[in-house]
Amino acid sequence: MNYHEAKDKFIQTWGTLGSSWGISRTMAQVHALLLISPEPLSTEDVMEQLKISRGNANMNLRDLLDWGLAFKELKSGERKDFFVAEKDIWKVAKQIIKERRKREIEPVLNVLEELKNVKGDKNDKRHKAFVESVTNIERVVEKADFAFDKAVKLDENAIVSALFKLFK
Amino acid sequence: MNYHEAKDKFIQTWGTLGSSWGISRTMAQVHALLLISPEPLSTEDVMEQLKISRGNANMNLRDLLDWGLAFKELKSGERKDFFVAEKDIWKVAKQIIKERRKREIEPVLNVLEELKNVKGDKNDKRHKAFVESVTNIERVVEKADFAFDKAVKLDENAIVSALFKLFK
DNA sequence: TTTAACTTTCAATAATTATTGAAAGTTTTA
DNA sequence: TAAAACTTTCAATAATTATTGAAAGTTAAA
């Protein structure tokens, strides 16, 4: 496998992984491309290399900025925007967790809290099962949320070694 | 909010959460329905309550069995299959992590390993950046994989309290 | 200003993914 | 064995999501 084949395969693989972890396929591909580029890339570079349209490139680059996974870099003498990826993959992972916590877990916790206040006959089996389910789920979601919150504030090795000690 | 509104809202919410964590919307909705049902449900019950077709209900119930998130329960005297959800949400979370690890992380690790062997000029900047990126990414993905692997073998409180101690 | 370089938007369209429902398949009972 | 009860499959279609590209918008140099 030569450099170009490897690069392609990497972009595809990262795209697939990304899309299964909540960031869109193309966004992950753009991120992959930036990740392995030693130099900052312009929108046009991204368009050419990934063979995507200007609109698409623009939109995904902006999303990457939104997620904190890429940054603008201005070159003196150039009017174009150039982009670089966050290259510390542990930071990338933490950033994704942080964003998804905010975008997905928080709203769910709000709904669960609301649902516990459902009115109904306390002797109704369905009602009882419902409140019980919601309460259990809320408890676990809160704990997971707590764990993620802590995880994004810690460094990689601390977490891994803590889990390792627990397990030994 | 009465019981039926609450139930609907729960099913919708769980569906949304599920779809953002890698299990399909309808599959998560079926799971939600089973979760709050005190009695096992048949395919027909699921069809009626979620207003989905027989094929769809069947497919999603089978997927839930595949993922280990629901189980068949046979009622004596009945020919139909009945289904119950795994109600321990921590087990559900672990099961999802386990499945996704197998389905998504493992293949990526294999590709990354392969990509490190790319042939090329060691003095080429791009080549060097490429191998470096892949190596870093592999390291982090492996650690995340390790952490998840440990997580699915531990109980909820152990993990949370370990993280808590680390953070205090 | 005006013009050129560049970025953003968005309606149209393409690609992907989920759903339907009828037909085929299977198992159980009589 | 036949018929009934139930499950599974899958081609057609619907719903959703991503992408295009031309036009509108912005910024900076001349």
Side-chain angles (χ1 to χ4, degrees):
Chain A
M1 189 163 37
N2 66 32
Y3 172 69
H4 287 288
E5 291 167 335
K7 179 174 149 187
D8 258 29
K9 190 158 190 177
F10 174 67
I11 290 171
Q12 297 314 321
T13 304
W14 203 237
T16 305
L17 184 67
S19 73
S20 71
W21 289 91
I23 68 182
S24 91
R25 204 179 96 260
T26 306
M27 181 169 147
Q29 288 178 343
V30 175
H31 181 251
L33 177 62
L34 294 176
L35 210 48
I36 56 173
S37 298
E39 300 295 337
L41 301 183
S42 68
T43 303
E44 302 235 327
D45 294 333
V46 172
M47 287 167 62
E48 276 169 31
Q49 297 207 40
L50 297 183
K51 296 186 180 60
I52 60 175
S53 71
R54 181 172 300 284
N56 201 8
N58 178 266
M59 199 194 127
N60 282 292
L61 283 166
R62 303 190 86 247
D63 284 351
L64 282 172
L65 297 179
D66 263 11
W67 279 73
L69 301 178
F71 311 99
K72 269 190 191 176
E73 201 161 290
L74 300 174
K75 284 193 185 177
S76 55
E78 293 264 20
R79 302 244 312 250
K80 281 188 246 186
D81 289 342
F82 287 79
F83 301 88
V84 291
E86 170 60 65
K87 304 219 169 172
D88 178 339
I89 298 298
W90 173 239
K91 272 194 193 166
V92 170
K94 289 200 292 184
Q95 198 60 36
I96 292 173
I97 291 172
K98 198 169 145 194
E99 287 290 332
R100 297 195 62 190
R101 219 168 68 83
K102 191 173 71 197
R103 293 174 195 219
E104 296 154 12
I105 300 182
E106 283 177 17
V108 168
L109 283 175
N110 293 336
V111 173
L112 290 177
E113 191 55 36
E114 190 190 346
L115 290 181
K116 284 197 306 184
N117 300 318
V118 59
K119 289 188 177 59
D121 178 4
K122 292 212 173 59
N123 297 317
D124 183 350
K125 214 172 162 187
R126 296 170 316 167
H127 180 271
K128 223 178 125 193
F130 181 80
V131 174
E132 239 171 57
S133 293
V134 171
T135 307
N136 284 336
I137 289 165
E138 193 185 27
R139 220 187 71 243
V140 175
V141 175
E142 268 169 359
K143 286 198 182 177
D145 184 50
F146 173 85
F148 283 141
D149 184 43
K150 294 297 166 264
V152 300
K153 290 173 178 159
L154 284 171
D155 79 87
E156 183 185 11
N157 293 320
I159 290 174
V160 174
S161 69
L163 285 167
F164 187 73
K165 272 177 207 152
L166 263 176
F167 192 70
K168 69 157 184 287
Chain B
M1 189 161 38
N2 66 32
Y3 172 70
H4 287 288
E5 290 166 335
K7 177 173 150 186
D8 258 30
K9 190 157 190 177
F10 175 66
I11 291 171
Q12 297 315 320
T13 304
W14 203 236
T16 305
L17 185 68
S19 74
S20 70
W21 289 91
I23 67 180
S24 91
R25 206 179 93 259
T26 306
M27 182 169 147
Q29 288 179 342
V30 175
H31 181 250
L33 177 61
L34 293 176
L35 254 181
I36 56 172
S37 298
E39 301 294 338
L41 301 182
S42 69
T43 304
E44 302 236 327
D45 295 332
V46 171
M47 288 167 63
E48 276 168 31
Q49 296 208 40
L50 298 182
K51 295 186 180 60
I52 60 176
S53 71
R54 181 171 302 282
N56 200 9
N58 178 265
M59 199 194 127
N60 282 291
L61 283 166
R62 300 190 87 246
D63 284 350
L64 282 171
L65 297 180
D66 262 11
W67 280 73
L69 301 179
F71 311 100
K72 269 191 190 174
E73 201 161 288
L74 299 174
K75 284 192 183 177
S76 55
E78 293 264 19
R79 299 228 333 233
K80 281 188 244 187
D81 288 343
F82 287 80
F83 300 88
V84 292
E86 169 60 65
K87 304 220 168 171
D88 178 339
I89 298 298
W90 174 239
K91 274 195 192 164
V92 170
K94 289 201 293 185
Q95 199 60 37
I96 292 173
I97 290 171
K98 198 170 146 193
E99 286 291 332
R100 298 195 60 191
R101 217 168 70 83
K102 190 173 71 197
R103 293 174 196 220
E104 296 154 13
I105 299 183
E106 282 177 16
V108 169
L109 283 174
N110 292 336
V111 174
L112 291 176
E113 191 53 37
E114 189 189 349
L115 291 180
K116 282 197 306 184
N117 300 318
V118 59
K119 288 189 178 58
D121 176 6
K122 291 214 173 58
N123 297 316
D124 183 350
K125 214 173 161 187
R126 295 171 315 167
H127 180 270
K128 224 178 122 192
F130 180 80
V131 174
E132 240 170 57
S133 292
V134 171
T135 307
N136 285 335
I137 289 165
E138 193 186 27
R139 221 188 68 244
V140 175
V141 175
E142 268 169 358
K143 286 198 182 177
D145 185 50
F146 173 85
F148 282 141
D149 184 41
K150 295 296 167 264
V152 301
K153 288 171 180 160
L154 283 170
D155 78 88
E156 182 185 13
N157 292 320
I159 290 175
V160 174
S161 69
L163 285 167
F164 187 73
K165 272 177 208 152
L166 263 177
F167 192 69
K168 70 157 186 285

